[in-house]
């Protein structure tokens, strides 16, 4: 908010003049916020603060944090590289059965992540449809590798990017591209110079959602990738394991996950994405 | 629309109450209900007891008309946490002394826990045992993909104990948080072998093959049971515990692969 610079006061005034909220909105809005925020407050209260530095600096925590950041970043990049084009096709493509394809894209949202992990095992596991061939041809087994963590995260995070980007593309409409075309732009040029800048905020907010989902991913990862420190044990997996013997450690690791996610979102979100659904 | 609104309001109200931290008193049976009293015994039991306790539950319900037994199965430490956090239950059967200690340390049992069964580790391999694994030392072969439980969970602690006793160091490809995810890695053929409890192999019904090894006696896991202090049906809980520790219970447990009580 503060980063808007000299324009900020004027924009604040404009906003105040344009939008007067009906008072009753505040009650459900407050409840919604409380439902999200209060459990985290519960975590904060439960945390064993004096032990936190030692717990956070344990090799398991550090390894899990680095692995989570690395895998979630790669998964987000994959979501953009693969999901971006998919969103464009879904929003603009003229294809029979597009509506059916769109509902298939939503599947990872509906499937319990554990089931998604099993599905990935049956496809890419050592005895899976595709995994068997890869194992025989190259001697590579996908499960239990860091790559399998990234695949699991990409699987569950893709719909978040595709859905929000597709919405942004639809909202943007095709008017500008049509005008660009009358001015002689080829489809490729119009896409690069007109469409991409228009949908960039939507892409960023989709990427943030995808990153957040990848950071929190648990079920598909444990089922498809397993859990080994430094290789496949991401923060959520570490939390789940710590909870077995040391609840304080689990709480601390959860807080670490919360803080890292908030920082990443806060750093990425201002300016470009503000106000974009 | 009106009904939707009413439901939403009720849920919202519940949230508000929850947010304020006020605890509502549980409502008893509706006044004036003339139906005969139906009593419900709530048991929290370790997931590895699923088969045996379901069998004992049917027997108990037949022997005690009007009694319904509700058993909630889960990881022992999850269940222990639930009890410490006020879960309304009558009886707790855990898969390790450590998890039971969480509950006894909080003084939430009526008496000292009784050990009603024991369990030992077994190697689970892909059916047919294609990698010809016959001993614990075989698990250390470099070309094998071995999956174990994380050291934090009982089956992982037992595995670490056996490793220490035998001097064989395993290089697992994964240390999983529970037996089910360990077993599924072998059952789907993605791992060659796993270390789980002998009862898990029995319960997996042929999706994995068990290989016993003598060193398993180095790490015997106890299964303690205790009636909980906040039990609403303490008498029923004590009777269920008697069933478990009695002849029929022991026979059922033995059939599932458990060792005898101490």
């Amino acid at each position: 908010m503060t980063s808007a610079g000299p324009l900020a006061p004027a924009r604040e005034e404009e906003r105040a003049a344009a939008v007067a909220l009906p008072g009753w909105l505040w009650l459900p809005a407050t409840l919604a916020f409380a439902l999200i925020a209060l459990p985290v407050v519960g975590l904060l209260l439960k945390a064993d603060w004096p032990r936190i530095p030692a717990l956070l600096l344990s090799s398991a925590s550090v390894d899990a944090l680095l692995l989570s950041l690395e895998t979630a970043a790669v998964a987000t990049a994959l979501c953009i590289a693969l999901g971006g084009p998919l969103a464009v096709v879904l929003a603009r493509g003229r294809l029979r059965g597009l509506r059916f394809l769109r509902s298939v894209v939503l599947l990872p949202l509906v499937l319990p992540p554990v089931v998604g992990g099993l599905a990935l095992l049956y496809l890419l596991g050592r005895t899976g449809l595709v995994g068997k061939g890869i194992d025989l041809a190259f001697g590579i087994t996908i499960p239990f590798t860091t790559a399998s963590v990234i695949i699991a995260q990409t699987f569950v995070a893709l719909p978040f990017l595709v859905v929000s980007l597709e919405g942004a593309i639809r909202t943007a409409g095709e008017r500008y591209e049509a005008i660009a075309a009358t001015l002689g732009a080829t489809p490729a040029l119009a896409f690069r110079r007109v469409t991409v800048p228009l949908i960039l905020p939507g892409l960023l907010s989709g990427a943030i959602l995808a990153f957040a989902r990848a950071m929190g991913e648990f079920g598909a990862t444990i089922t498809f990738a397993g859990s080994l420190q430094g290789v496949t044990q991401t923060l959520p997996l570490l939390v789940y394991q710590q909870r077995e013997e040391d609840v304080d450690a689990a709480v601390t690791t959860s807080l670490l996950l919360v803080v890292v996610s908030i920082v990443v979102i806060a750093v990425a979100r201002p300016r470009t994405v503000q106000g974009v659904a | 629309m009106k009904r939707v609104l009413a439901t939403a309001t009720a849920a919202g109200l519940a949230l508000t109450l929850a947010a304020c931290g006020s605890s509502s008193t549980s409502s008893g049976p509706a006044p004036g209900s003339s139906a005969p009293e139906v009593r419900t015994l709530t048991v929290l039991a370790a997931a590895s007891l699923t088969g045996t306790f379901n069998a004992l539950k049917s027997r108990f319900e037949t022997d005690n008309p009007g009694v319904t037994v509700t058993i909630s199965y889960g990881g022992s430490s999850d269940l222990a946490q639930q009890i410490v956090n006020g879960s309304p239950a009558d009886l707790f059967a855990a898969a390790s002394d450590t998890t039971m200690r969480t509950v006894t340390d909080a003084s939430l049992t009526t008496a000292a826990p009784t050990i009603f069964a024991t369990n030992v580790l077994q190697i689970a391999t892909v059916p047919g045992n294609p990698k010809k694994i016959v001993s614990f030392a075989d698990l250390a072969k470099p070309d094998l993909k071995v999956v174990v439980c994380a050291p934090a969970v009982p089956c992982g602690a037992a595995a670490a104990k056996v490793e220490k006793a035998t001097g064989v160091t395993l290089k697992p490809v994964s240390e999983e948080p529970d037996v089910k995810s360990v077993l599924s890695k072998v059952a789907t053929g993605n791992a060659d072998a796993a270390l789980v409890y002998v009862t898990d192999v029995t319960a997996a019904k042929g999706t994995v093959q068990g290989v016993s090894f003598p060193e398993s006696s180095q790490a015997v896991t106890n299964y303690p049971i205790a009636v909980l202090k906040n039990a609403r049906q303490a008498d029923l809980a004590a009777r269920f515990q008697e069933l478990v520790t009695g002849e029929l219970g022991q026979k059922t447990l033995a059939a599932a692969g458990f060792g005898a009580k101490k």
Side-chain angles (χ1 to χ4, degrees):
Chain A
M1 300 261 165
T2 49
S3 60
L7 278 176
R11 282 179 56 193
E12 289 296 333
E13 261 168 49
E14 228 176 73
R15 205 174 281 176
V19 195
L21 289 180
W24 62 266
L25 273 179
W26 284 96
L27 179 68
T30 310
L31 274 177
F33 184 79
L35 182 60
I36 294 173
L38 284 185
V40 181
V41 173
L43 270 184
L44 287 172
L45 293 178
K46 180 83 175 64
D48 184 1
W49 293 95
R51 270 183 69 203
I52 280 188
L55 286 172
L56 285 186
L57 289 175
S58 73
S59 72
S61 287
V62 173
D63 283 356
L65 172 64
L66 294 178
L67 184 71
S68 272
L69 287 173
E70 177 197 329
T71 53
V74 178
T76 309
L78 279 176
C79 281
I80 294 172
L82 304 175
L86 177 58
V88 175
V89 168
L90 286 179
R92 298 255 172 102
R94 288 172 183 82
L95 212 73
R96 290 180 73 82
L98 212 55
R99 185 177 294 188
F100 172 74
L101 286 185
R102 194 175 293 125
S103 48
V104 171
V105 168
L106 294 179
L107 268 182
L109 289 180
V110 187
L111 278 182
V114 174
V115 178
L118 266 183
L120 286 172
L121 263 188
Y122 290 133
L123 180 73
L124 299 171
R126 198 161 61 168
T127 55
L129 216 54
V130 174
K132 196 170 193 168
I134 297 177
D135 190 43
L136 288 176
F138 307 106
I140 298 172
T141 336
I142 298 175
F144 311 121
T145 61
T146 305
S148 63
V149 177
I150 294 169
I151 294 171
Q153 289 177 345
T154 309
F155 173 80
V156 296
L158 257 177
F160 287 85
L161 185 120
V162 173
V163 168
S164 61
L165 184 56
E166 192 201 341
I169 297 171
R170 284 176 183 280
T171 316
E174 292 184 50
R175 288 170 299 152
Y176 295 108
E177 285 92 330
I179 292 166
T182 65
L183 296 175
T186 60
L189 183 71
F191 179 77
R192 190 159 52 83
R193 297 291 293 275
V194 179
T195 313
V196 170
L198 265 179
I199 62 176
L200 204 56
L203 179 67
L204 270 171
S205 86
I208 287 169
L209 283 178
F211 179 84
R213 180 64 187 87
M215 276 298 278
E217 184 2 75
F218 171 75
T221 311
I222 188 66
T223 314
F224 180 50
S227 169
L228 193 68
Q229 184 179 340
V231 183
T232 52
Q233 190 178 66
T234 55
L235 278 175
L237 268 62
L238 179 65
V239 171
Y240 189 78
Q241 189 197 302
Q242 284 176 332
R243 188 192 52 122
E244 292 285 339
E245 57 172 355
D246 185 352
V247 181
D248 288 338
V251 169
T252 309
T253 313
S254 313
L255 281 178
L256 179 65
L257 188 57
V258 169
V259 170
V260 169
S261 308
I262 288 178
V263 166
V264 169
I265 292 170
V267 166
R269 197 158 176 99
R271 295 178 287 270
T272 33
V273 202
Q274 247 166 52
V276 175
Chain B
M1 184 63 214
K2 227 172 200 168
R3 197 186 304 163
V4 176
L5 209 65
T7 317
T9 315
L13 207 64
L15 278 175
T16 320
L17 287 175
C20 297
S22 73
S23 61
S24 59
T25 48
S26 60
S27 50
S33 64
S34 56
E37 196 197 359
V38 176
R39 299 214 285 160
T40 303
L41 171 67
T42 309
V43 181
L44 300 183
S48 46
L49 295 166
T50 307
T52 45
F53 271 40
N54 274 342
L56 295 175
K57 162 192 148 92
S58 323
R59 180 57 186 264
F60 194 78
E61 285 173 344
T62 317
D63 290 350
N64 299 276
V67 173
T68 311
V69 183
T70 311
I71 308 182
S72 168
Y73 298 103
S76 291
S77 46
D78 277 342
L79 298 175
Q81 281 302 324
Q82 288 172 19
I83 295 167
V84 172
N85 286 304
S87 158
D90 302 305
L91 188 64
F92 178 39
S96 79
D97 290 320
T98 334
T99 44
M100 180 57 89
R101 206 169 302 136
T102 313
V103 179
T104 49
D105 281 353
S107 314
L108 288 170
T109 56
T110 51
T114 311
I115 309 293
F116 67 94
T118 57
N119 212 346
V120 291
L121 292 179
Q122 196 176 33
I123 299 166
T125 72
V126 178
N129 195 357
K131 302 275 178 168
K132 313 257 176 298
I133 300 160
V134 292
S135 70
F136 186 76
D138 282 352
L139 293 179
K141 286 184 187 164
D143 60 325
L144 280 189
K145 284 192 189 305
V146 177
V147 178
V148 297
C149 294
V153 290
C155 52
K161 236 182 191 172
V162 174
E163 278 187 75
K164 209 171 165 197
T166 54
V168 176
T169 310
L170 304 183
K171 284 234 160 48
V173 290
S174 182
E175 300 176 340
E176 316 241 337
D178 58 68
V179 169
K180 292 242 161 60
S181 38
V182 170
L183 275 177
S184 82
K185 299 294 188 299
V186 178
T188 58
N190 284 290
D192 300 307
L195 271 179
V196 291
Y197 286 116
V198 56
T199 56
D200 300 321
V201 176
T202 314
K205 294 194 179 84
T207 58
V208 297
Q209 184 173 327
V211 177
S212 299
F213 56 98
E215 300 92 333
S216 64
S217 61
Q218 300 288 335
V220 178
T221 304
N222 289 332
Y223 277 60
I225 191 167
V227 177
L228 296 171
K229 187 163 262 173
N230 298 327
R232 294 208 197 103
Q233 309 289 349
D235 56 324
L236 286 179
R239 289 227 297 279
F240 195 88
Q241 180 173 331
E242 273 164 31
L243 177 65
V244 172
T245 52
E247 195 184 339
L248 180 72
Q250 291 299 305
K251 223 195 273 169
T252 315
L253 285 161
F258 285 100
K261 66 176 175 181
K262 282 184 178 171

